Amino acid sequence: MVDESGRHEDAYEAVFSALAHPARRRVLLTIYFNGGSMAAGEIAAVFSHAWQTTTRHLQILEAAGLLSSARDGRMRIYHLERKRLDLVRDWLAHFSITPDPAKETP
Amino acid sequence: MVDESGRHEDAYEAVFSALAHPARRRVLLTIYFNGGSMAAGEIAAVFSHAWQTTTRHLQILEAAGLLSSARDGRMRIYHLERKRLDLVRDWLAHFSITPDPAKETP
DNA sequence: AAAATATTCAGCATGTACGCTGAATATTGA
DNA sequence: TCAATATTCAGCGTACATGCTGAATATTTT
């Protein structure tokens, strides 16, 4: 296991996989620039996909912890979980740890 | 197009897709902690996959710009392109831009 | 030149992702 | 209750990803 603890392996997997699809990255940006929360239908309206396709993307994002949701009447409001993106930052931070200088390329 | 310029759309696609696979994330970390460069065979030795499988992962990482490579005798040396990871940081930085306050959730 | 080493290419099987459509569920309004 | 609205669930087809194996290529060594 490369990760120092192993605790986040599954989380990394979920988050990085979720971010791999352009529509899902765009969902996150869309919600963010809308103030952090949006109804499923509003989000779906941004895309040319069938709305059921967007539903699945939303579920994947929620399963990855990047969104949370709550029913509000007959709508479902999705809320961006910005903190979850820190997982990506954490992973990137590995590349700031100084590696073994003995092997450093000049 | 959500991105302010659109120039990086394909790059985002390549980089985020490349990072979606745990073996490829691990390749990057492995090379990094080895000093930034490793022969294909050395990298493949880290994994339990057939080495041909690792070859393909290396090609995907190189196509995404996360690795570069050069022949050295009968070996191929892969070099980590750390700067390319800035693309991910750039994308994450979108979530630090203050969104329209009128729509801000309290 | 032949053998050994290091890596890549090509093709195959299987599983998953992602688009679609149609049906189902939940809530609201008449 | 019935119709309208908002969303989800289920199933299908296609395409792609990812593992494998075997053959091919390039380089070095004998």
Side-chain angles (χ1 to χ4, degrees):
Chain A
M1 199 148 332
V2 169
D3 182 59
E4 74 275 16
S5 67
R7 275 174 303 183
H8 298 306
E9 279 303 303
D10 290 340
Y12 281 147
E13 179 66 7
V15 169
F16 277 101
S17 297
L19 295 179
H21 197 289
R24 290 192 291 259
R25 290 195 299 279
R26 203 175 152 199
V27 164
L28 296 180
L29 287 169
T30 300
I31 297 176
Y32 179 62
F33 284 104
N34 197 62
S37 299
M38 276 176 96
E42 285 184 281
I43 300 164
V46 173
F47 294 88
S48 45
H49 299 144
W51 72 90
Q52 295 98 322
T53 298
T54 300
T55 290
R56 186 148 55 188
H57 285 311
L58 292 172
Q59 289 169 343
I60 289 167
L61 287 165
E62 187 169 20
L66 290 162
L67 295 179
S68 58
S69 75
R71 242 190 192 288
D72 177 19
R74 55 185 146 184
M75 306 188 282
R76 178 166 291 273
I77 308 296
Y78 281 91
H79 185 80
L80 177 65
E81 293 294 327
R82 255 169 88 179
K83 283 177 203 148
R84 189 65 164 176
L85 291 169
D86 287 342
L87 248 162
V88 180
R89 294 191 180 91
D90 292 348
W91 187 81
L92 289 171
H94 286 127
F95 295 91
S96 301
I97 299 166
T98 305
D100 182 356
K103 291 178 175 176
E104 189 70 71
T105 309
Chain B
M1 196 145 339
V2 170
D3 181 59
E4 74 275 19
S5 67
R7 275 175 304 183
H8 298 306
E9 279 302 302
D10 291 341
Y12 281 148
E13 180 66 8
V15 169
F16 277 102
S17 297
L19 294 180
H21 198 288
R24 291 193 290 260
R25 290 195 299 277
R26 202 174 153 200
V27 164
L28 297 180
L29 287 169
T30 300
I31 298 176
Y32 180 62
F33 284 105
N34 197 61
S37 298
M38 276 176 95
E42 285 185 280
I43 299 165
V46 173
F47 293 88
S48 45
H49 299 145
W51 73 90
Q52 295 97 322
T53 297
T54 300
T55 289
R56 187 149 52 187
H57 284 310
L58 292 173
Q59 289 168 344
I60 290 167
L61 287 165
E62 187 169 20
L66 291 162
L67 296 179
S68 58
S69 75
R71 245 193 188 288
D72 177 20
R74 55 185 147 183
M75 306 187 284
R76 179 167 290 275
I77 307 297
Y78 281 91
H79 184 82
L80 177 65
E81 292 295 327
R82 253 169 90 179
K83 281 176 207 149
R84 190 65 164 173
L85 290 169
D86 287 342
L87 250 162
V88 180
R89 293 190 181 91
D90 291 348
W91 187 80
L92 289 172
H94 285 128
F95 295 91
S96 301
I97 298 165
T98 305
D100 182 356
K103 291 180 176 176
E104 189 71 70
T105 310

